[in-house]
């Protein structure tokens, strides 16, 4: 039903059928730790992945599931998984792809927390991270791909300079090498950019920001496109057999065999979320769902305000430069017109003329 909805109906109605929830018009908060199995036959179906259902709220909860499915639908993805923070989403997505000895190629401009993780966490886990010098020099970027490279990671709109990436071109490079393109779409939200439409394989969010919109929760989301070939030989974690995935006859199976088009988020859920435990609570998921209902209206208003501020800054004698890709003067303007025709996000950067005293006076004012 929900696949036929337009965006603004989907953000309010998607992935929710009231008749499955006592006909409640608002998504209920399932504030429970665990769930009854029903009977032994249903328990077998659940444990053998013949039926999808909730066992323990760390790995699945009905309120959280609505958020996951709704954002996946807004992105045009096959499945999603919600987590306790945006950093959990970034980290789990990449740890689901890369193992000890592997390599990840990343954009030169990223959120500071992501950069810190790439400096301090990933090397200790034996995962090498290299930065492309220039996202516009696609040939130089592609030359950095090694046999051990397992992903390209970018931000659709970079934090904080607001640079729009050429998602389609980068996806083409990744796919030539049988690796996924992972896109942090936090600043854009699915309202401004749907990266999967341009070839992205995995989309991650800090739902703390535009998606929830009210500054009252910390949350993250991973969405997969459902079409990347995780069985291409580069990712044995998806194709190796597992005792815990055996069928009723005792035959061990792989994640790819059991979960098919949503194998990526299924493995995040059953391995990384299950064992490391950055779970999103049902009440926070409920707040994110409520925030998501006004996504379009909030982003439109923020963009309207951004244009006013950008116009003022461009004319100010106290400003050296303004970085916002939707400015006609921006070197990134053509990409902004292609990917973000509504506007390249509500975050901008500018260079301020003056010394330390002037900086402090301006900030304190």
């Amino acid at each position: 039903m929900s696949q036929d909805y337009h965006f603004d109906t989907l953000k309010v109605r998607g992935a929710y059928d009231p008749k499955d929830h006592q006909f409640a018009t608002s998504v209920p908060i399932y504030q429970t730790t665990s769930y009854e199995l029903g009977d032994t036959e249903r328990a077998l179906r659940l444990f053998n992945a013949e039926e999808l259902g909730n066992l323990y709220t760390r790995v699945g909860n009905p309120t959280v599931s609505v958020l996951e499915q709704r954002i996946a639908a807004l992105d045009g993805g096959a499945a999603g998984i919600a987590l306790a923070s945006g950093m959990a989403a970034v980290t789990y997505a990449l740890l689901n792809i890369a193992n000890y000895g592997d390599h990840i190629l990343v954009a030169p401009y990223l959120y500071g927390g992501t950069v810190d993780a790439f400096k301090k966490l990933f090397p200790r886990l034996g995962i090498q991270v290299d930065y492309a010098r220039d996202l516009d020099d696609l040939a130089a970027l592609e030359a950095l791909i090694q046999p051990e490279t397992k992903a390209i990671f970018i931000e659709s709109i970079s934090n904080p300079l607001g640079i729009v990436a050429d998602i389609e071109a980068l996806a083409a490079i990744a796919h030539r090498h049988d690796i996924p393109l992972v896109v942090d779409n936090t600043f854009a939200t699915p309202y401004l950019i749907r990266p999967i439409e341009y070839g992205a394989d995995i989309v991650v969010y800090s739902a703390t920001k535009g998606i929830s919109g009210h500054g009252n929760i910390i949350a993250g989301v991973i969405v997969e496109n459902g079409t990347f070939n995780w069985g291409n030989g580069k990712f044995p974690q998806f194709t190796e057999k597992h005792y815990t995935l055996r069928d009723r006859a005792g035959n061990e199976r792989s994640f790819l065999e059991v979960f098919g088009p949503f194998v990526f988020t299924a493995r995040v859920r059953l391995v990384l979320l299950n064992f490391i435990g950055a779970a999103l609570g049902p009440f926070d998921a409920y707040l994110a769902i409520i925030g998501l209902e006004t996504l379009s209206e909030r982003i439109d208003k923020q963009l309207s305000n951004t244009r006013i501020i950008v116009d003022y800054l461009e004319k100010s004698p106290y400003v050296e430069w303004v970085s916002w890709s939707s400015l006609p003067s921006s070197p990134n303007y053509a990409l902004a017109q292609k990917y973000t025709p509504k506007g390249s996000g509500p975050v901008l950067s500018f260079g301020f003329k003056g010394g330390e005293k002037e900086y402090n006076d301006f900030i304190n004012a």
Side-chain angles (χ1 to χ4, degrees), residues 2-3 10 68-81 190 194-197 200-203 205 222-227 261-262 265:
S2 63
Q3 65 265 26
L10 197 58
E68 294 169 341
Q69 294 170 31
R70 189 167 291 181
I71 293 176
L74 289 171
D75 257 313
I81 182 167
R194 286 158 51 105
I196 288 170
E197 291 182 350
D201 302 289
I202 306 297
V203 181
Y205 291 100
I222 303 171
V223 175
E224 65 178 309
N225 68 359
T227 61
F262 53 98
T265 49

Side-chain angles (χ1 to χ4, degrees), residues 80-344:
I81 182 167
L83 302 163
S85 71
M87 280 308 304
V90 170
T91 304
Y92 281 15
L94 294 177
L95 291 183
N96 206 36
I97 295 170
N99 294 304
Y100 189 93
D102 287 339
H103 172 256
I104 299 169
L105 181 60
V106 306
Y109 9 80
L110 297 170
Y111 167 60
T114 306
V115 172
D116 285 343
F118 289 162
K119 286 181 179 178
K120 300 171 184 176
L121 173 63
F122 281 75
R124 288 179 174 270
L125 300 175
I127 299 170
Q128 179 188 352
V129 178
D130 280 336
Y131 289 83
R133 289 184 176 272
D134 183 356
L135 278 188
D136 293 326
D137 191 342
L138 297 175
L141 181 147
E142 187 166 8
L144 295 173
I145 295 176
Q146 309 167 12
E148 297 78 22
T149 304
K150 293 299 171 69
I152 298 175
F153 177 85
I154 64 167
E155 292 177 355
S156 56
I157 302 176
S158 72
N159 180 350
L161 291 175
I163 296 170
V164 176
D166 192 345
I167 301 168
E168 195 166 33
L170 291 163
I173 290 172
H175 296 159
R176 278 200 292 274
H177 296 268
D178 290 326
I179 60 175
L181 177 67
V182 183
V183 179
D184 185 332
N185 200 41
T186 296
F187 273 10
T189 79
Y191 180 61
L192 295 182
I193 304 177
R194 286 158 51 105
I196 288 170
E197 291 182 350
Y198 298 102
D201 302 289
I202 306 297
V203 181
V204 298
Y205 291 100
S206 168
T208 310
K209 302 175 179 70
I211 282 177
S212 61
H214 297 288
N216 54 8
I217 64 163
I218 303 291
V221 181
I222 303 171
V223 175
E224 65 178 309
N225 68 359
T227 61
F228 185 80
N229 180 16
W230 298 105
N232 64 17
K234 287 180 175 283
F235 307 95
Q237 63 268 39
F238 294 103
T239 55
E240 60 193 10
K241 306 287 186 178
H242 289 270
Y243 177 76
T244 53
L245 294 178
R246 64 194 184 280
D247 61 18
R248 291 198 189 204
N251 300 307
E252 296 181 5
R253 297 174 295 175
S254 70
F255 276 96
L256 195 56
E257 286 177 278
V258 175
F259 296 106
F262 53 98
V263 62
F264 190 87
T265 49
R267 189 177 184 277
V268 171
R269 188 181 304 280
L270 296 179
V271 177
L272 294 161
L273 178 57
N274 192 22
F275 300 147
I276 304 176
L280 183 66
F283 184 68
D284 284 353
Y286 172 79
L287 292 176
I289 290 167
I290 295 301
L292 191 61
E293 292 182 355
T294 58
L295 176 64
S296 310
E297 291 76 15
R298 287 186 286 103
I299 298 295
D300 280 342
K301 181 60 176 177
Q302 289 167 2
L303 286 170
S304 173
N305 291 341
T306 301
R307 290 188 178 91
I308 294 168
I309 294 168
V310 165
D311 182 63
Y312 174 83
L313 292 173
E314 276 216 300
K315 295 172 182 174
S316 172
Y318 302 104
V319 173
E320 293 263 10
W321 51 266
V322 180
S323 181
W324 192 58
S325 290
S326 289
L327 271 174
S329 58
S330 168
N332 211 225
Y333 181 69
L335 288 176
Q337 292 298 102
K338 174 179 178 177
Y339 292 106
T340 59
K342 297 185 185 79
S344 55

Side-chain angles (χ1 to χ4, degrees), residues 46-65:
L46 289 170
F47 288 122
N48 289 308
E50 297 168 7
E51 177 182 324
L52 297 179
N54 296 294
L55 294 167
Y56 196 64
T57 279
R58 184 176 71 244
V59 292
N61 174 279
T63 312
V64 180
S65 294

